[in-house]
Amino acid sequence: GEPQQGLAGIGLLMQQDGGPNTKVFIKNVVPGGACGRDGVVQVGDFVVGVNGSNVVGSPVAEIRERIVGPIGSQIRVSFERPSGEVYERSLTRGNAVSHEDPYHSMTRSIGEAGQRLSTSASAIPTAADGDVLRLRGRVHELESELTICRDELGRARNLLEQDKDNSARYVRELDVVHRKHQDQVTELRSMLNQSEQSRRELEIQNQSLESRAQVVHESFQRAKEQTEAREQYFADLKRKFEDVQNNYEKEISAEKDAKAEVSRQLQSAEVAMQRQKAEMDQFKEQERMRREKEEG
């Protein structure tokens, strides 16, 4: 026939004492579950591997996520006895199987409620946000715990005839856990809705930021063009200044050359004047001597 729909584990209640990075041990084996039917796994054994992957030091939630899967699928789980012996079992995921009893209809109704919860959880819209995917995994985790609690509740009701007082207390505790898990599922769904709303708000903000980024980019382009124009203007101005400076230097050089030429001409004129003055003085002296001779 067609495989059953939904998710299930292997009928284990796990616990981790001593904080993170410690081994997870089996607190209880659910009667009628995969491990209970296998008959090898015992309370107190440690879970050390899932499908060949080492899970020593992993938190209970992570190991549970690895174990839970489609009903009817196979899984290999490695266990370690308190004595240190390691063994592996190949198990089939599924819900606990129990005989008909006066409370079977109540157990079945709880199973149907769990199935509806699984269906409603699968109908939650998928969000692109990573936190939403993590919360969805947590919802499936709580559904698996709810299934295990449902099986434990059925077992407690079967034992009610033998030890009514103790079983009633145990049932009440399981009912509290059941309600707590239901509240957690409701809270997680609310968080999923809030996360989806936050995602939509972020998309709107992102669109606004993209528009602002476009405006900033256009402003930057205009500023860049203006800067390039200014740089070109200053480059042209610098070239003009250099041309003016070169022409000024050439004119200064030419003026210096002209002054030097005038200075040389003045020196030559002074030399000629001194020579003429000397000749004039000599001529005057000769004229004086000539007159003296004539008068004498």
Side-chain angles (χ1 to χ4, degrees):
E2 296 182 355
Q4 291 178 293
Q5 301 297 317
L7 301 174
I10 54 176
L12 290 179
L13 286 178
M14 297 176 291
Q15 186 171 328
Q16 187 177 33
D17 292 341
N21 302 323
T22 58
K23 292 181 180 179
V24 173
F25 66 92
I26 300 172
K27 183 179 180 181
N28 195 7
V29 178
V30 179
C35 289
R37 295 193 301 270
D38 184 67
V40 177
V41 182
Q42 298 177 5
V43 173
D45 291 351
F46 298 101
V47 181
V48 296
V50 177
N51 285 332
S53 299
N54 185 6
V55 296
V56 175
S58 300
V60 175
E62 181 179 335
I63 297 177
R64 186 179 292 109
E65 288 179 0
R66 290 173 178 264
I67 291 177
V68 173
I71 294 176
S73 59
Q74 295 290 317
I75 182 173
R76 292 181 294 106
V77 184
S78 298
F79 301 92
E80 180 182 343
R81 303 283 192 200
S83 62
E85 175 190 356
V86 178
Y87 63 96
E88 183 180 82
R89 305 302 296 169
S90 180
L91 304 166
T92 302
R93 296 183 177 96
N95 297 325
V97 178
S98 59
H99 299 291
E100 283 294 329
D101 55 76
Y103 303 98
H104 180 69
S105 59
M106 181 178 296
T107 303
R108 184 169 58 252
S109 64
I110 295 175
E112 292 172 353
Q115 185 66 29
R116 288 196 299 272
L117 177 60
S118 175
T119 303
S120 62
S122 63
I124 298 175
T126 302
D129 192 284
D131 291 337
V132 174
L133 296 178
R134 178 177 58 79
L135 293 174
R136 186 183 296 278
R138 179 59 178 160
V139 169
H140 287 305
E141 172 190 334
L142 292 176
E143 289 173 352
S144 175
E145 292 182 0
L146 186 60
T147 300
I148 294 174
C149 290
R150 179 198 61 201
D151 297 335
E152 281 291 300
L153 183 59
R155 175 171 173 261
R157 292 187 184 280
N158 289 331
L159 296 175
L160 186 60
E161 294 178 357
Q162 299 176 2
D163 192 356
K164 194 170 184 179
D165 295 336
N166 292 336
S167 295
R169 179 179 55 82
Y170 189 51
V171 168
R172 285 195 299 270
E173 292 176 355
L174 287 177
D175 284 339
V176 170
V177 173
H178 176 77
R179 288 194 297 271
K180 180 179 178 182
H181 287 170
Q182 288 283 26
D183 293 340
Q184 290 179 346
V185 169
T186 302
E187 182 180 356
L188 287 175
R189 285 181 176 174
S190 176
M191 294 175 65
L192 279 172
N193 293 333
Q194 293 176 1
S195 181
E196 177 66 16
Q197 180 64 27
S198 299
R199 185 186 66 82
R200 288 194 293 267
E201 292 176 355
L202 287 175
E203 287 180 351
I204 294 174
Q205 293 178 2
N206 185 50
Q207 292 174 356
S208 176
L209 289 176
E210 288 178 352
S211 300
R212 292 175 59 186
Q214 181 65 26
V215 172
V216 171
H217 178 71
E218 293 174 356
S219 299
F220 174 77
Q221 285 296 115
R222 288 195 296 269
K224 183 179 178 182
E225 293 172 358
Q226 292 175 357
T227 301
E228 291 175 351
R230 291 192 189 96
E231 290 177 351
Q232 184 63 37
Y233 170 75
F234 286 128
D236 295 341
L237 192 62
K238 182 179 179 181
R239 283 194 297 271
K240 290 180 180 179
F241 175 76
E242 290 175 350
D243 294 341
V244 171
Q245 187 177 18
N246 291 333
N247 292 334
Y248 176 75
E249 290 176 353
K250 290 179 180 178
E251 291 177 358
I252 292 296
S253 178
E255 185 176 351
K256 287 182 179 180
D257 294 340
K259 286 182 178 180
E261 181 64 24
V262 169
S263 178
R264 285 194 299 271
Q265 291 178 359
L266 288 173
Q267 290 177 357
S268 299
E270 288 177 354
V271 171
M273 288 177 64
Q274 290 176 357
R275 188 170 53 250
Q276 289 179 359
K277 183 179 179 182
E279 291 176 354
M280 181 65 69
D281 291 340
Q282 185 180 4
F283 176 75
K284 287 180 178 180
E285 182 65 24
Q286 290 175 356
E287 184 66 22
R288 184 183 65 77
M289 293 176 62
R290 185 182 62 78
R291 286 178 181 177
E292 288 179 351
K293 284 181 179 181
E294 290 179 353
E295 291 176 359

